[in-house]
mmCIF file of all heavy atoms in Angstrom:
data_model
loop_
_atom_site.group_PDB
_atom_site.id
_atom_site.type_symbol
_atom_site.label_atom_id
_atom_site.label_comp_id
_atom_site.label_asym_id
_atom_site.label_seq_id
_atom_site.Cartn_x
_atom_site.Cartn_y
_atom_site.Cartn_z
ATOM 1 N N MET B 20 16.903 15.303 24.860
ATOM 2 C CA MET B 20 17.929 14.431 25.392
ATOM 3 C C MET B 20 19.103 14.330 24.443
ATOM 4 O O MET B 20 18.937 14.225 23.231
ATOM 5 C CB MET B 20 17.424 13.005 25.584
ATOM 6 C CG MET B 20 16.177 12.893 26.466
ATOM 7 S SD MET B 20 15.714 11.153 26.692
ATOM 8 C CE MET B 20 17.020 10.585 27.756
ATOM 9 N N PHE B 21 20.342 14.424 25.019
ATOM 10 C CA PHE B 21 21.542 14.287 24.247
ATOM 11 C C PHE B 21 22.292 13.110 24.831
ATOM 12 O O PHE B 21 22.744 13.141 25.978
ATOM 13 C CB PHE B 21 22.390 15.533 24.308
ATOM 14 C CG PHE B 21 21.716 16.761 23.657
ATOM 15 C CD1 PHE B 21 20.824 17.509 24.398
ATOM 16 C CD2 PHE B 21 21.970 17.103 22.398
ATOM 17 C CE1 PHE B 21 20.192 18.574 23.786
ATOM 18 C CE2 PHE B 21 21.359 18.179 21.765
ATOM 19 C CZ PHE B 21 20.462 18.948 22.505
ATOM 20 N N ILE B 22 22.399 12.070 24.092
ATOM 21 C CA ILE B 22 23.048 10.819 24.586
ATOM 22 C C ILE B 22 24.064 10.345 23.613
ATOM 23 O O ILE B 22 24.138 10.762 22.444
ATOM 24 C CB ILE B 22 21.944 9.748 24.863
ATOM 25 C CG1 ILE B 22 21.339 9.289 23.551
ATOM 26 C CG2 ILE B 22 20.951 10.183 25.855
ATOM 27 C CD1 ILE B 22 20.544 8.058 23.643
ATOM 28 N N GLN B 23 24.849 9.374 24.098
ATOM 29 C CA GLN B 23 25.871 8.755 23.227
ATOM 30 C C GLN B 23 25.302 7.435 22.683
ATOM 31 O O GLN B 23 24.479 6.787 23.366
ATOM 32 C CB GLN B 23 27.190 8.513 23.970
ATOM 33 C CG GLN B 23 27.896 9.814 24.294
ATOM 34 C CD GLN B 23 29.303 9.548 24.832
ATOM 35 O OE1 GLN B 23 29.518 8.524 25.557
ATOM 36 N NE2 GLN B 23 30.212 10.398 24.496
ATOM 37 N N GLU B 24 25.715 7.106 21.526
ATOM 38 C CA GLU B 24 25.279 5.824 20.934
ATOM 39 C C GLU B 24 25.571 4.656 21.895
ATOM 40 O O GLU B 24 26.638 4.619 22.494
ATOM 41 C CB GLU B 24 26.006 5.594 19.591
ATOM 42 C CG GLU B 24 25.564 4.343 18.890
ATOM 43 C CD GLU B 24 26.210 4.206 17.520
ATOM 44 O OE1 GLU B 24 26.897 5.198 17.088
ATOM 45 O OE2 GLU B 24 26.116 3.126 16.908
ATOM 46 N N GLY B 25 24.596 3.791 22.013
ATOM 47 C CA GLY B 25 24.793 2.643 22.925
ATOM 48 C C GLY B 25 24.149 2.811 24.285
ATOM 49 O O GLY B 25 23.903 1.876 25.014
ATOM 50 N N GLU B 26 23.847 4.080 24.604
ATOM 51 C CA GLU B 26 23.228 4.302 25.954
ATOM 52 C C GLU B 26 21.722 3.985 25.905
ATOM 53 O O GLU B 26 21.084 3.947 24.849
ATOM 54 C CB GLU B 26 23.344 5.815 26.331
ATOM 55 C CG GLU B 26 24.736 6.218 26.720
ATOM 56 C CD GLU B 26 24.757 7.650 27.204
ATOM 57 O OE1 GLU B 26 23.684 8.179 27.583
ATOM 58 O OE2 GLU B 26 25.871 8.251 27.254
ATOM 59 N N VAL B 28 17.815 4.886 26.991
ATOM 60 C CA VAL B 28 16.992 6.126 27.021
ATOM 61 C C VAL B 28 15.703 5.872 27.762
ATOM 62 O O VAL B 28 15.092 4.795 27.584
ATOM 63 C CB VAL B 28 16.666 6.614 25.628
ATOM 64 C CG1 VAL B 28 15.683 7.795 25.660
ATOM 65 C CG2 VAL B 28 17.914 6.974 24.863
ATOM 66 N N SER B 88 20.858 2.562 22.327
ATOM 67 C CA SER B 88 20.495 3.479 21.245
ATOM 68 C C SER B 88 21.449 3.406 20.063
ATOM 69 O O SER B 88 22.654 3.190 20.182
ATOM 70 C CB SER B 88 20.437 4.920 21.790
ATOM 71 O OG SER B 88 21.672 5.270 22.311
ATOM 72 N N ILE B 89 20.841 3.627 18.876
ATOM 73 C CA ILE B 89 21.614 3.651 17.660
ATOM 74 C C ILE B 89 21.257 4.949 16.895
ATOM 75 O O ILE B 89 20.255 5.607 17.197
ATOM 76 C CB ILE B 89 21.279 2.435 16.749
ATOM 77 C CG1 ILE B 89 19.783 2.387 16.441
ATOM 78 C CG2 ILE B 89 21.703 1.135 17.464
ATOM 79 C CD1 ILE B 89 19.423 1.188 15.459
ATOM 80 N N PRO B 90 22.048 5.328 15.891
ATOM 81 C CA PRO B 90 21.846 6.619 15.243
ATOM 82 C C PRO B 90 20.435 6.833 14.702
ATOM 83 O O PRO B 90 19.889 7.937 14.670
ATOM 84 C CB PRO B 90 22.930 6.658 14.117
ATOM 85 C CG PRO B 90 24.018 5.810 14.724
ATOM 86 C CD PRO B 90 23.339 4.713 15.487
ATOM 87 N N VAL B 93 17.337 8.740 16.420
ATOM 88 C CA VAL B 93 17.240 10.177 16.495
ATOM 89 C C VAL B 93 15.840 10.610 15.954
ATOM 90 O O VAL B 93 15.373 10.107 14.921
ATOM 91 C CB VAL B 93 18.299 10.830 15.660
ATOM 92 C CG1 VAL B 93 18.043 12.346 15.415
ATOM 93 C CG2 VAL B 93 19.670 10.710 16.369
ATOM 94 N N LEU B 116 15.196 13.485 20.746
ATOM 95 C CA LEU B 116 16.340 12.639 21.053
ATOM 96 C C LEU B 116 17.483 12.951 20.047
ATOM 97 O O LEU B 116 17.247 12.832 18.814
ATOM 98 C CB LEU B 116 15.977 11.158 21.033
ATOM 99 C CG LEU B 116 17.102 10.160 21.270
ATOM 100 C CD1 LEU B 116 17.674 10.375 22.706
ATOM 101 C CD2 LEU B 116 16.639 8.738 21.114
ATOM 102 N N THR B 117 18.588 13.291 20.566
ATOM 103 C CA THR B 117 19.767 13.459 19.725
ATOM 104 C C THR B 117 20.902 12.560 20.196
ATOM 105 O O THR B 117 21.119 12.441 21.384
ATOM 106 C CB THR B 117 20.298 14.981 19.828
ATOM 107 O OG1 THR B 117 19.214 15.838 19.433
ATOM 108 C CG2 THR B 117 21.504 15.222 18.959
ATOM 109 N N ILE B 118 21.565 11.931 19.278
ATOM 110 C CA ILE B 118 22.652 10.998 19.638
ATOM 111 C C ILE B 118 23.990 11.699 19.256
ATOM 112 O O ILE B 118 24.203 12.059 18.101
ATOM 113 C CB ILE B 118 22.472 9.684 18.944
ATOM 114 C CG1 ILE B 118 21.245 9.012 19.509
ATOM 115 C CG2 ILE B 118 23.753 8.820 19.144
ATOM 116 C CD1 ILE B 118 20.972 7.657 18.962
ATOM 117 N N ILE B 119 24.857 11.756 20.242
ATOM 118 C CA ILE B 119 26.154 12.420 20.051
ATOM 119 C C ILE B 119 27.109 11.294 19.505
ATOM 120 O O ILE B 119 27.256 10.250 20.100
ATOM 121 C CB ILE B 119 26.667 12.998 21.369
ATOM 122 C CG1 ILE B 119 25.641 13.962 21.952
ATOM 123 C CG2 ILE B 119 28.025 13.643 21.191
ATOM 124 C CD1 ILE B 119 25.947 14.351 23.402
ATOM 125 N N PRO B 120 27.811 11.571 18.408
ATOM 126 C CA PRO B 120 28.707 10.578 17.899
ATOM 127 C C PRO B 120 29.885 10.278 18.852
ATOM 128 O O PRO B 120 30.253 11.129 19.631
ATOM 129 C CB PRO B 120 29.231 11.194 16.597
ATOM 130 C CG PRO B 120 28.723 12.528 16.538
ATOM 131 C CD PRO B 120 27.723 12.750 17.587
#
Side-chain angles (χ1 to χ4, degrees):
Chain B
M20 304 183 71
F21 296 84
I22 64 168
Q23 291 190 326
E24 183 177 349
E26 288 186 19
V28 173
S88 58
I89 59 177
V93 166
L116 178 63
T117 302
I118 295 182
I119 305 168

